[in-house]
Amino acid sequence: MPSANITAATDVTAPPDNIRLLRRRIVSALVLIPLALAGVFLGSPYLHALVAVFGVAMIWEWNMICGGRRFGPAGWLGAVTILVAILAAVDERYPLALGVVVAGAALSGVTARLRRAGAAGWRGFGTLYIGIPCVAILWVRDA
């Protein structure tokens, strides 16, 4: 039996902004999940293109969060890193792709630090956090 001081989040108790955000996320999932499954089912080149688009979108979002709504050179470097790593993965050069991600993450962090952009370490980490799974998805699918 639940305690009397625990309140369940319902339409009545949850703030309206949270409900709108939840609805937006559900609609996004309903659109993106079939798209991702289609990419996995169809394979190359569709999955490669889908991973590239999603990877760049994720690095953009990550850098916007870290940079206070500024993409900047470190963000562009992260996006180019993701694309070059995916191109190496398309050519089935997975160790090279992972090396590109590691080097791009370091350069992205250093670039952010030199430009005194906020959260420099997080920008570099974001390139790793997004780039490694992008390469791994392609590597697993191609295996």
Side-chain angles (χ1 to χ4, degrees):
M1 179 169 173
S3 172
N5 61 0
I6 296 176
T7 305
T10 64
D11 285 345
V12 177
T13 61
D17 288 340
N18 289 347
I19 292 172
R20 274 188 244 122
L21 182 61
L22 177 62
R23 286 184 185 137
R24 183 184 308 158
R25 290 183 184 264
I26 289 171
V27 169
S28 295
L30 291 174
V31 170
L32 295 177
I33 288 173
L35 187 62
L37 289 174
V40 169
F41 178 73
L42 295 172
S44 180
Y46 304 103
L47 181 63
H48 296 107
L50 192 64
V51 170
V53 168
F54 284 173
V56 170
M58 287 186 285
I59 201 76
W60 178 82
E61 181 71 22
W62 184 276
N63 278 278
M64 295 302 274
I65 290 169
C66 290
R69 296 293 178 209
R70 287 193 61 237
F71 195 59
W76 285 107
L77 186 56
V80 169
T81 297
I82 299 295
L83 291 175
V84 170
I86 289 171
L87 286 174
V90 166
D91 199 30
E92 298 183 6
R93 300 171 120 187
Y94 304 107
L96 175 64
L98 292 174
V100 166
V101 170
V102 170
L107 287 173
S108 182
V110 168
T111 300
R113 174 78 61 192
L114 291 175
R115 296 190 53 86
R116 293 190 170 100
W122 285 108
R123 288 175 186 249
F125 176 73
T127 303
L128 283 175
Y129 185 70
I130 294 163
I132 290 173
C134 286
V135 171
I137 286 169
L138 299 177
W139 198 344
V140 168
R141 174 60 175 93
D142 289 343

